Structures are given as C-alpha cells and as structure tokens.
Amino acid sequence: MSENTQNTSRYGGSLLKQSDRTRRRNAAEKRFRAYGIGAIGIGLLMLFVLVFNIVSKGTGAFQQTFVTLDVELLESKLDKNGNRDLADIKKVTTFGYSPIIRKAVETKVASLGIETNLKTKAMAGILSKDAAAQLREYVVANPDQIGETVEFRFLAQSRVDGYLKGRVIRANIANDKNISPEQLDLVDALVASGVIVKTFNLDFILGADASDARPEAAGIGVSMMGSLFMMLVVLALALPIGVAASIYLEEFAPQNWLTDIIEVNISNLAAVPSIVFGILGLAVFINYMHLPTSAPLVGGLVLTLMTLPTIIISTRASLKSVPPSIRAAALGVGASKMQSVFHHVLPLAAPGILTGTIIGLAQALGETAPLLLIGMVGFIASNPPSGIAEGLLSPNSAMPAQIFEWAKRADPAFYERAWGGIIILLIFLVTMNTVAVILRRRFERRW
Amino acid sequence: MNDMTVMDKTMEKQKTKIAANGVNVHYGESHAIKDVNVEIEDKTVTAFIGPSGCGKSTFLRCLNRMNDTIDICKVTGDILLDGEDIYDKRVDPVQLRAKVGMVFQKPNPFPKSIYDNVAYGPRIHGLAKNKAELDEIVEKSLRRGAIWDEVKDRLDKPGTGLSGGQQQRLCIARAVATEPEVLLMDEPCSALDPIATAQVEELIDELRSRYSVVIVTHSMQQAARVSQKTAFFHLGNLVEFGATGQIFTNPEDPRTESYITGRIG
C-alpha cells in the first residue's frame, strides 16, 4: 500500500540512526538540563558565599580577650568604717574602684618585670570600662572578701580585643585616642606571659547589651529573652486563634459570599508588609490601649497579627489534605460533625498544623520592621528578666532588633557582634525549620 | 453462589423498614432524583442498579442524610423510617446515622488500630459500660464482619495495613458495631478483587438475617446474587422496582430490559 511506504519513509528508515528532529529535541533537553544545573549552582554558590561571610565575620564575636589580675580589695577604699555594712559598701561607686584596679595592673606589670614608660592610668586603660563594675558587683555580693586578694578575669577593652583578633593594627592607630603603640607593646608582653588570653565568651550568648563605649561587654542574651517572650505570646495567641478560625472556615462555615470575603482577606493579610502591622500595633496597643512601649508583650501581639494568616493558611491546607472519606466514615458511624473533626480530622492534620506554626514562628522570630515602631529597636539596657510578668512588660529588645542596633553603631567591635548575633539567630531559624521538616517527614501519610 | 438459589429463596413478606414517597433531590440547578417512591423491607437485601449518574448513590445517601453535608443539595418529599419522617426538623441526623449505618465505595478505615476502628462507634454512642463490654462488642462485630479470624491476633495494628478486601470487611464490622437497623452499602465491592468480592457478598447474605441491607451496585450479576429486591434507576427516575428474580427474568419496562441485556448503560 502506498500509505504504508509513506509512513516508513517519514521516520527515515533505520532506528539505529537519529533523525534530525530527534537530535534537535535531544539537544533542547540537554540545554534545559544545563540551565537547571546552572540555576542550582548559582543558588548554592550564593548560599556558600552567605554562610562563609557570616561565619568568617561572626565567629570572632564568640571569643573575647580577657586579662587575669590579682586584685587586693583594700578595706581603706571600699569600706572605710570597717563594719561591712552593705549600705556603706554600696555607697562606693565604680569610680572608687578605679584606683584598686590601677594598682592591680601596676603590681602585675612590675611583678612580671615588663619595662614600660606608661603611666598607671594608661596601663589600666587596656582593661574594659566594665572592669570596675564587675569588681563592684563582686564586692557587693561578697562583702566578707574585703581585705583579701582575689584573682579576677577582666574584659580587655575592645581595641585590645581587636588587636588580638587582627581588627586593630598598629599602622592605623595614630589618631585613635583609645589606644597607643605603647599600650600595644604592653599587651604583647602580657600576652607572652599569659596574662592576656583570648577565649570563648559565654557572656556574648547570655549577657545584656552594653553602651557605645563598652562593645566588649555586649551580649545578645537579654534580647534573646525578649524574643522568647514574644514567641510565647505569639504561640499562646496565634495557634489557638488560627486553628479555631481555620477549623471553622474549613469544616463548619457555609459556602457563601461572606466566607469568600473572609478567605480573600486572610490571603491578603498574609501579603501585607510587616511594617504596617507595626504601625497598627503602635496605634492600637500603645496609643489606644496604653500598653507599655518596648515591651515584648506588645511585640508579641504585633507578631501575632502577622503570623495569624500564615497559620490559618497552612492549617486550612492541612485540613483540606485529610481525605473526605475519613469524614464520611466518621459521620457514617454516627459521629457528630464536631466529633468527626476533633477525633479524626484534626489528629491527621496536626503535623501539618504544627509545621505551619513552626514556620510562622520562625518568620516572626526574624521580623524586625514592626518592632521599629513599637520601640523595641535601640539601646535598651536591661537585665535578664526575673519573671514572666517582667519578661513580658519590661522594656526589651529582640534578636533581629539587637543585630540591627549593633550594625548601626560606629565601633567596628559592634559590627563583629552583629555578625555573631546573626549566627545565633540563624541557628535558631535553621533548627526550627529542621524540626518542621522532620515533623512533616515523620508524620506524612499516604492514602 | 448459584444465581438461582438466591432467587428461589423464600420471599416471605417482611414489614416495611423505609418508605420513600415522592422524593426529589436537587443539586443546585440539576434535578438528580425525580419523584421516587420505594418501600424497603426489613431483613431483606435491596439492590439499586442503573447506569452511572442515574442517581442511585444519591438516593442511598438520602436514606441516612449524608447529603446534608453537601450545601447545595436539597431533598424534598418524605422518607419514613419505621413510620417517622427522617427529614423532620426534630430529627438529629447524628442519631439517625447510628440507626442507619453506611459502608462506602472505597474502604475507608480510620488510620487507627483495628480495635479502635470498630470500637469508635460504640464509644461515641456509649454502648459499652466498661472495657470488657467493649471488647465483647468489638469481637462480635468483627465476627459478623467475617474478619475476626484474620485479625484477632493483631487488633492493635493499624486498620490501613490490611488488604483491600479485609479493609472493606473491617468497615462493615465498624458499621455493624453500632447496632444499626439498616445498613447502606454504596458499591462496597467496586474496589475489590473477585475473591474479596465473593467474601463480602457472602457476608451481605448473612447480614440479611439481622438488618435491612440496601446495596448500590454496578454489577448486575452481583445484584442478582445478593438481593431479594431490585430497584432500577435511570436518569434520576425509579424505573422499576420489584423482586430480583422478576426484574432480571421478566422486566416490565423496556428500559430495564435494555439495561439488563446490555443495550443501554
């Protein structure tokens, strides 16, 4: 038949030879694969650059330079009356401790036989301004130690720390009022004799922020507590409200224009820039309801508004993914609507809800913009909160806000701490997201 | 099972369990069920047959108000269960469904243990006072579901781990555990292989001694094998309703004959 012969000729005879068309199609496929691999490569490269940058710039923040000194707690300076009355001891301000510290430095340098033409005040200048406060705190806590000689590990000032980390170099300090070449000579000598050491600094992770003049004393711990309390508020509010709203919308609400409008608006809320929630929080929670400024409670409320749509959307998605046959089965044996939801649908949707909640929380944890407007960004000098009420109501910062605050300050020592803070924040976020992925994998069901 | 033996089974008149009068069902604009009148007898297997989309499943779902869960579905007319209108405002569908159990097309065990699957209904209806009674109900139901011997050693294993046929028998056991009076089955064997189908059919025949069974099926052979009464639906109309033997051997309506002989459907 003529049609048959036409058919064989159209595909060019032998199967062992590729036709032009096949070759072109194969080439297109190969090109597309190359594009894909290229795209992934670029993504990975960027990730690598990011991680490398963060780690290389931030690890320094976890180490700090310390100076170990034996301090004689002179009774004549600290407790003139000699009766160890705490009220009297507290009257001595940090200025009163400076001479003791100077003497301790001088003694140390002399005992090691280090030659220097620095004055005592300049010698003590290698210590942090925090040293006097540290000493006073110790004396107030242990008044019985007055008169004894106690070994202390003081923070070195940030230039000395920078010198040991390679951030401060001799060539650049000509105009630096905070450090002189002679002081660096002294530092070199003290490092050689083991008085000055650079070690891991737990206070960076657990401590509070410090003022501009004392970057070496700044830590992210208190703002971490601020973030923690905000997350507690978000979890306590957004999870129950979000899940209740989703269950109602997904399982009970009639399908009409009102629920359609609600649905559209929830999706829209998820796309609203977070700063808008911040200004809303300022207007409603602070100006109208008179809640305290800078309080994690307000921050938590604002972040709840922000997280709610995320939780509602993911909860509804996981409720939707429970097959209708399960609901039918429950109704078929005479379960009420609510029993079918709470006994069968919700347990099956729980992993998805949990995953969505964790991702929502992670999002809220990294949010900075809304906190700007409610006063949680800035130098907020506070001690770690002593209780839940204080944690919620006393002014505090949050981790991303603290990072922003540090990045803003002039001293490069703060810049290093900002990167260190980013590492801690990322560890939290990666952990949370990993938990979410593990939960999803673990409880994933196939129907 | 031989077709004739079932048809020849004694057909003593049973009392009417469900009576439907002038039932109409609308899905939004479409008219799914048109003025259906049917009387379903107690302790009898009634089969609904008909081509796809003829409304037989829709009508079945009216009998325990499963259609209530679909917003756009409107049911009019009377359906009387033991003389009481099940669409009366005072009737709670949850209570109705405890009396009228249902088995679905696809086996749908809860993703829980076999024991919990069966025990769920009795638990929510408070049928057992203590654990021993519940154990008893579970065993009795699984025996009635003809699956006890296969699962008695693994009651704590998930019901979803059983084979398709076992899952469907588990679902039947779950449905009978609440002591219903009527059992609705929506194509219970369509997802099963012939051997599992034979097991389920045998089970249906046994269930007849206790319940009124209504089964929707696509397979005319199945209808002939398990039922005593057959209703033929076509395009939302109940075309013919009568004794199964009569419908399959001597149908009155030409449409029934066409469907049975394979000319439409």
Side-chain angles (χ1 to χ4, degrees):
Chain A
M1 277 212 233
S2 65
E3 210 179 330
N4 247 339
T5 50
Q6 238 179 1
N7 267 346
T8 48
S9 67
R10 188 188 298 160
Y11 292 109
S14 170
L15 273 174
L16 300 174
K17 208 174 125 244
Q18 281 191 354
S19 69
D20 283 350
R21 202 177 169 76
T22 312
R23 215 171 288 129
R24 276 202 303 278
R25 282 197 299 208
N26 289 349
E29 188 175 319
K30 254 183 211 136
R31 273 200 306 278
F32 179 76
R33 283 190 196 191
Y35 298 151
I37 291 169
I40 290 171
I42 291 170
L44 283 179
L45 183 74
M46 283 178 174
L47 183 70
F48 175 76
V49 168
L50 185 78
V51 170
F52 179 77
N53 235 315
I54 291 172
V55 171
S56 65
K57 287 182 176 161
T59 39
F62 293 91
Q63 292 206 314
Q64 203 63 44
T65 307
F66 291 96
V67 186
T68 312
L69 292 176
D70 299 315
V71 182
E72 194 186 354
L73 302 170
L74 291 170
E75 190 173 17
S76 59
K77 299 272 183 198
L78 303 178
D79 189 15
K80 280 172 193 147
N81 304 330
N83 53 13
R84 301 289 183 270
D85 185 355
L86 207 56
D88 279 349
I89 296 170
K90 279 185 175 169
K91 274 182 194 150
V92 183
T93 64
T94 47
F95 287 109
Y97 285 85
S98 302
I100 301 181
I101 292 171
R102 279 183 208 161
K103 188 158 178 289
V105 179
E106 197 176 18
T107 320
K108 193 77 181 177
V109 172
S111 72
L112 290 168
I114 297 165
E115 302 255 334
T116 175
N117 52 9
L118 284 170
K119 293 205 174 95
T120 325
K121 191 181 172 186
M123 276 195 253
I126 62 168
L127 290 179
S128 165
K129 291 188 173 65
D130 209 48
Q134 186 191 342
L135 200 55
R136 180 171 181 271
E137 212 167 278
Y138 177 82
V139 170
V140 170
N142 310 290
D144 52 310
Q145 294 287 321
I146 292 176
E148 308 284 324
T149 301
V150 184
E151 191 187 82
F152 280 92
R153 204 175 71 146
F154 293 116
L155 284 165
Q157 68 130 306
S158 72
R159 293 297 193 279
V160 174
D161 182 51
Y163 178 62
L164 262 71
K165 288 174 182 169
R167 187 175 66 232
V168 175
I169 47 174
R170 281 171 187 268
N172 293 346
I173 59 167
N175 296 320
D176 196 333
K177 280 189 297 192
N178 294 311
I179 197 87
S180 64
E182 291 78 18
Q183 278 175 317
L184 290 183
D185 292 338
L186 177 62
V187 168
D188 283 339
L190 288 173
V191 169
S193 58
V195 174
I196 291 180
V197 284
K198 194 175 75 170
T199 60
F200 178 70
N201 180 22
L202 194 64
D203 278 346
F204 172 66
I205 301 169
L206 300 178
D209 192 12
S211 66
D212 278 357
R214 300 176 297 136
E216 63 278 1
I220 201 167
V222 174
S223 59
M224 211 187 280
M225 293 300 284
S227 282
L228 175 77
F229 280 104
M230 289 202 303
M231 290 308 111
L232 285 180
V233 174
V234 174
L235 194 65
L237 291 177
L239 185 62
I241 296 175
V243 171
S246 323
I247 291 177
Y248 179 75
L249 283 173
E250 199 56 45
E251 305 285 337
F252 294 94
Q255 283 279 313
N256 56 26
W257 60 270
L258 188 65
T259 45
D260 284 349
I261 288 178
I262 292 173
E263 207 162 305
V264 169
N265 276 300
I266 289 172
S267 312
N268 282 344
L269 275 182
V272 167
S274 54
I275 193 121
V276 176
F277 288 108
I279 209 157
L280 184 76
L282 175 65
V284 176
F285 298 129
I286 293 178
N287 290 346
Y288 179 71
M289 291 166 70
H290 299 291
L291 291 174
T293 327
S294 308
L297 174 67
V298 180
L301 288 172
V302 170
L303 294 179
T304 300
L305 293 178
M306 231 195 64
T307 316
L308 257 181
T310 315
I311 291 185
I312 292 179
I313 288 169
S314 65
T315 303
R316 292 190 66 182
S318 51
L319 287 173
K320 252 192 204 119
S321 72
V322 176
S325 68
I326 295 293
R327 295 179 182 84
L331 295 179
V333 295
S336 69
K337 186 89 197 169
M338 197 169 140
Q339 284 173 327
S340 89
V341 171
F342 281 89
H343 295 167
H344 300 289
V345 179
L346 203 55
L348 294 177
I353 295 172
L354 219 57
T355 308
T357 307
I358 293 173
I359 288 173
L361 277 183
Q363 217 175 41
L365 184 66
E367 199 57 67
T368 327
L371 305 181
L372 281 168
L373 290 155
I374 54 165
M376 290 186 78
V377 182
F379 172 50
I380 300 162
S382 45
N383 294 315
S386 56
I388 291 174
E390 200 191 316
L392 288 173
L393 295 171
S394 68
N396 206 334
S397 190
M399 275 195 278
Q402 184 70 70
I403 291 165
F404 175 68
E405 171 65 20
W406 282 339
K408 223 167 56 175
R409 290 188 193 168
D411 195 321
F414 279 117
Y415 190 64
E416 176 189 84
R417 291 187 125 65
W419 286 99
I422 288 169
I423 290 180
I424 293 180
L425 183 62
L426 281 181
I427 288 173
F428 273 97
L429 296 180
V430 169
T431 310
M432 288 168 86
N433 284 323
T434 312
V435 168
V437 169
I438 289 171
L439 280 176
R440 196 164 39 201
R441 284 274 163 82
R442 180 99 191 259
F443 293 101
E444 203 171 47
R445 278 177 192 282
R446 283 173 237 287
W447 304 100
Chain B
M1 215 187 299
N2 189 308
D3 290 5
M4 292 311 289
T5 58
V6 179
M7 284 180 213
D8 290 345
K9 269 177 189 162
T10 48
M11 299 274 292
E12 76 266 35
K13 180 70 181 162
Q14 294 284 356
K15 78 177 179 68
T16 302
K17 189 70 188 169
I18 297 175
N21 298 313
V23 175
N24 282 282
V25 179
H26 292 263
Y27 279 117
E29 295 291 298
S30 81
H31 195 175
I33 297 285
K34 296 164 189 164
D35 197 27
V36 167
N37 299 297
V38 70
E39 287 195 352
I40 291 161
E41 293 170 6
D42 202 7
K43 303 207 182 347
T44 305
V45 178
T46 306
F48 290 175
I49 59 168
S52 293
C54 69
K56 54 192 189 304
S57 283
T58 303
F59 184 69
L60 186 79
R61 292 164 63 89
C62 288
L63 301 181
N64 70 344
R65 293 185 58 175
M66 282 299 273
N67 284 335
D68 286 17
T69 54
I70 302 163
D71 282 340
I72 55 165
C73 181
K74 295 274 173 295
V75 181
T76 57
D78 299 333
I79 298 176
L80 308 177
L81 174 70
D82 292 330
E84 291 174 332
D85 184 3
I86 64 168
Y87 278 89
D88 192 287
K89 279 203 171 59
R90 286 165 295 177
V91 171
D92 189 311
V94 170
Q95 238 169 309
L96 169 71
R97 287 181 203 130
K99 264 186 158 185
V100 183
M102 188 156 192
V103 176
F104 298 83
Q105 183 171 359
K106 228 180 94 194
N108 56 353
F110 300 127
K112 301 181 183 221
S113 72
I114 293 169
Y115 183 93
D116 286 336
N117 260 285
V118 182
Y120 181 68
R123 262 190 200 132
I124 59 171
H125 296 300
L127 298 184
K129 284 187 206 71
N130 51 46
K131 178 87 171 79
E133 267 186 47
L134 193 61
D135 288 348
E136 204 176 304
I137 292 176
V138 170
E139 178 176 344
K140 196 173 69 186
S141 308
L142 286 169
R143 280 189 195 282
R144 282 193 199 153
I147 193 179
W148 170 253
D149 291 331
E150 290 157 67
V151 300
K152 63 183 175 201
D153 301 324
R154 45 171 176 158
L155 290 175
D156 55 338
K157 296 282 183 313
T160 40
L162 298 171
S163 73
Q166 288 175 324
Q167 284 190 15
Q168 194 61 302
R169 279 180 286 148
L170 174 64
C171 290
I172 293 172
R174 182 177 66 189
V176 300
T178 56
E179 296 287 342
E181 294 167 13
V182 180
L183 202 54
L184 307 177
M185 297 183 154
D186 190 353
E187 298 182 37
C189 300
S190 67
L192 305 185
D193 66 29
I195 293 167
T197 302
Q199 287 168 329
V200 171
E201 282 178 7
E202 208 170 309
L203 175 58
I204 292 170
D205 200 50
E206 282 162 28
L207 294 173
R208 183 165 68 97
S209 61
R210 299 178 157 273
Y211 314 100
S212 167
V213 180
V214 185
I215 175 169
V216 163
T217 177
H218 264 298
S219 153
M220 283 172 283
Q221 290 86 340
Q222 184 173 56
R225 281 194 299 264
V226 301
S227 71
Q228 286 77 51
K229 293 280 204 142
T230 297
F232 171 62
F233 285 80
H234 187 239
L235 301 175
N237 295 302
L238 176 64
V239 174
E240 194 169 346
F241 177 56
T244 301
Q246 153 131 36
I247 296 267
F248 281 95
T249 52
N250 190 16
E252 285 171 9
D253 196 286
R255 284 173 292 177
T256 316
E257 195 187 351
S258 310
Y259 182 67
I260 286 167
T261 52
R263 266 177 282 153
I264 60 166

